[in-house]
């Protein structure tokens, strides 16, 4: 048998004693008090070097310091982040496997018929981390000069324009869907395991355009290695002051910012969840983290949002919002 089941305090301890569970799977009070006693793995659902990976690595060290332990980052790629989420949903609820995920946690249920996990039931939220604007970027020599030109161009060249993303359910996929819906066009999508490699191909000219977080695109935009059309948030981003918003550029429907949060499998002891949340708060208050995020167009969430409760409430709201937006955009789950 496995020791996975929802945490119900005394009942769980009693049941686990009967079942003979021990070690990491049996996180009794002693295990929680001594946590962490081994390396903690932070699972990133996309490629190394991409934006989700970047944010994870920014907070991993200060969180490890706050916990008095070691955090190892592992990239588990595939299916728009759903492979990693499924893996963590099925992991032991012992606090040693933590998922960093983003808005994809709230969009995947509307996009996949058989997801294999339930965001609200199979995970325990730890806290929100940051909310990152997206940018619409293209290879440097892509002909359209503005977002309005881009719409005209892709409509005229729908059969040959390529739109990169990090797989169905990824933020870039969602943003691409919204773009296509707003432009009234269906484009050829090129899925990658993360937008790290997608951006490399964009710089190399192998794909035409994509949406991606400022945590990945800021450097390439500032260096003039990609063409940038707009930022997908209501206000401009301080680190890219010349870039218009999608509303300014004539596409107000394209609004998306990529929130990130940390999760452990459901059934993890409340003491461990609390320790992880406190460590997250400490990392987000770290000046080096604040500075690194600012350079990449984002900021840590307020301390009150780096809590399991605020994160869960946000996830619930986002699941409702995106299932409707995806349905309204005419996208079928498959
Ligand atoms: N930015 C990616 C996305 O589209 C994920 C990543 O590579 O971090 O969701």
């Amino acid at each position: 048998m496995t020791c996975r089941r929802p945490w119900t305090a005394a009942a769980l301890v009693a049941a686990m004693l009967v079942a003979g569970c021990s070690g990491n799977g049996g996180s009794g009070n002693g295990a929680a008090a001594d946590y962490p006693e081994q390396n903690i793995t932070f699972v990133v659902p996309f490629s190394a070097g991409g934006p989700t990976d970047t944010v994870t690595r920014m907070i991993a060290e200060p969180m490890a310091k706050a916990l008095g332990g070691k955090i190892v980052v592992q990239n588990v790629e595939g299916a728009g982040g759903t492979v990693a989420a499924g893996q963590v949903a099925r992991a032991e609820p012992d606090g040693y496997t933590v998922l960093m995920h983003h808005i994809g946690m709230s969009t995947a249920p509307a996009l996949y018929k058989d997801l294999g996990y339930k965001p609200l039931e199979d995970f325990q939220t730890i806290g929100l981390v940051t909310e990152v604007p997206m940018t619409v970027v293209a290879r440097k020599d892509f002909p359209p000069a503005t977002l309005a030109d881009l719409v005209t161009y892709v409509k005229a060249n729908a059969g040959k324009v390529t739109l990169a993303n990090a797989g169905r359910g990824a933020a870039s996929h969602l943003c691409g869907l919204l773009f296509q819906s707003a432009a009234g066009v269906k484009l050829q999508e090129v899925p990658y395991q993360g937008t790290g490699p997608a951006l490399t191909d964009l710089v190399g000219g192998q794909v035409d355009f994509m949406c991606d977080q400022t945590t990945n695109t800021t450097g390439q935009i500032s260096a003039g290695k990609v063409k940038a059309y707009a930022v997908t948030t209501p206000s401009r981003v301080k680190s890219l002051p010349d870039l218009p918003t999608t509303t300014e550029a004539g596409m107000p429907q394209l609004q998306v910012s990529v929130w990130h949060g940390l999760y452990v499998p459901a059934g993890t002891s409340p003491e461990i969840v609390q320790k992880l949340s406190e460590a997250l708060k400490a990392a987000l208050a770290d000046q080096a983290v604040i500075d690194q995020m600012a350079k990449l167009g984002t900021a840590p969430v307020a301390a009150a949002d780096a809590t399991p409760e605020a994160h869960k409430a946000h996830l619930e709201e986002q699941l409702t919002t995106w299932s409707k937006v995806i349905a309204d955009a005419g996208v079928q789950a498959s």
Side-chain angles (χ1 to χ4, degrees):
M1 68 163 287
T2 73
C3 296
R4 286 292 320 277
R5 58 179 69 85
W7 174 260
T8 52
L12 176 59
V13 174
M16 289 171 75
L17 286 173
V18 170
C21 291
S22 62
N24 291 331
S27 300
N29 290 338
D34 296 338
Y35 176 85
E37 295 180 289
Q38 64 184 65
N39 288 354
I40 302 168
T41 301
F42 271 23
V43 176
V44 174
F46 300 103
S47 312
T52 311
D53 183 71
T54 297
V55 168
T56 308
R57 288 175 199 273
M58 264 183 211
I59 63 164
E61 212 182 296
M63 275 190 74
K65 202 170 148 205
L67 286 162
K70 190 161 181 247
I71 293 174
V72 180
V73 177
Q74 189 190 2
N75 299 83
V76 177
E77 304 163 328
T82 61
V83 171
Q87 187 173 305
V88 175
R90 292 183 294 274
E92 285 298 330
D94 56 10
Y96 292 104
T97 308
V98 178
L99 175 70
M100 166 69 91
H101 209 341
H102 65 15
I103 193 170
M105 193 63 127
S106 58
T107 59
L111 294 165
Y112 285 82
K113 267 198 190 114
D114 298 309
L115 195 53
Y117 60 85
K118 294 194 170 111
L120 289 170
E121 288 165 36
D122 293 337
F123 294 94
Q124 166 65 53
T125 48
I126 298 295
L128 294 167
V129 177
T130 182
E131 186 151 1
V132 188
M134 293 199 105
T135 50
V136 183
V137 288
R139 62 180 162 84
K140 203 178 157 186
D141 55 356
F142 199 44
T146 64
L147 193 64
D149 291 347
L150 178 65
V151 172
T152 309
Y153 185 89
V154 299
K155 285 176 109 160
N157 297 278
K160 54 181 190 187
V161 169
T162 50
L163 171 61
N165 64 38
R168 185 155 49 99
S172 46
H173 174 247
L174 174 69
C175 183
L177 288 178
L178 297 176
F179 174 88
Q180 292 176 83
S181 164
V185 68
K186 180 83 197 89
L187 299 172
Q188 190 190 330
E189 297 179 15
V190 184
Y192 290 79
Q193 304 276 49
T195 45
L199 188 64
T200 303
D201 271 10
L202 197 77
V203 172
Q206 280 88 32
V207 281
D208 293 328
F209 83 110
M210 65 190 268
C211 294
D212 199 16
Q213 286 110 289
T214 54
T215 34
N216 202 35
T217 59
T218 300
Q220 304 289 16
I221 293 172
S222 303
K225 296 205 170 143
V226 293
K227 190 177 269 187
Y229 295 110
V231 60
T232 62
T233 41
S235 311
R236 290 192 180 203
V237 177
K238 273 199 194 126
S239 51
L240 295 167
D242 298 331
L243 196 58
T245 65
T246 43
T247 303
E248 288 173 307
M251 193 182 268
Q253 312 92 312
L254 185 55
Q255 295 285 335
V256 53
S257 56
V258 185
W259 58 274
H260 296 259
L262 292 178
Y263 304 80
V264 284
T268 303
S269 87
E271 291 87 350
I272 290 176
V273 169
Q274 188 61 24
K275 282 190 177 188
L276 284 165
S277 179
E278 290 304 325
L280 173 61
K281 274 186 220 148
L284 298 182
D286 187 305
Q287 194 56 48
V289 171
I290 296 170
D291 293 345
Q292 279 173 297
M293 285 196 183
K295 272 190 204 147
L296 298 179
T298 187
V301 297
D305 290 329
T307 60
E309 300 75 24
H311 182 182
K312 186 170 181 225
H314 189 64
L315 176 61
E316 282 170 341
E317 181 272 308
Q318 289 281 287
L319 281 161
T320 307
T321 299
W322 290 112
S323 63
K324 185 172 175 345
V325 173
I326 290 165
D328 289 353
V331 181
Q332 304 290 321
S334 53

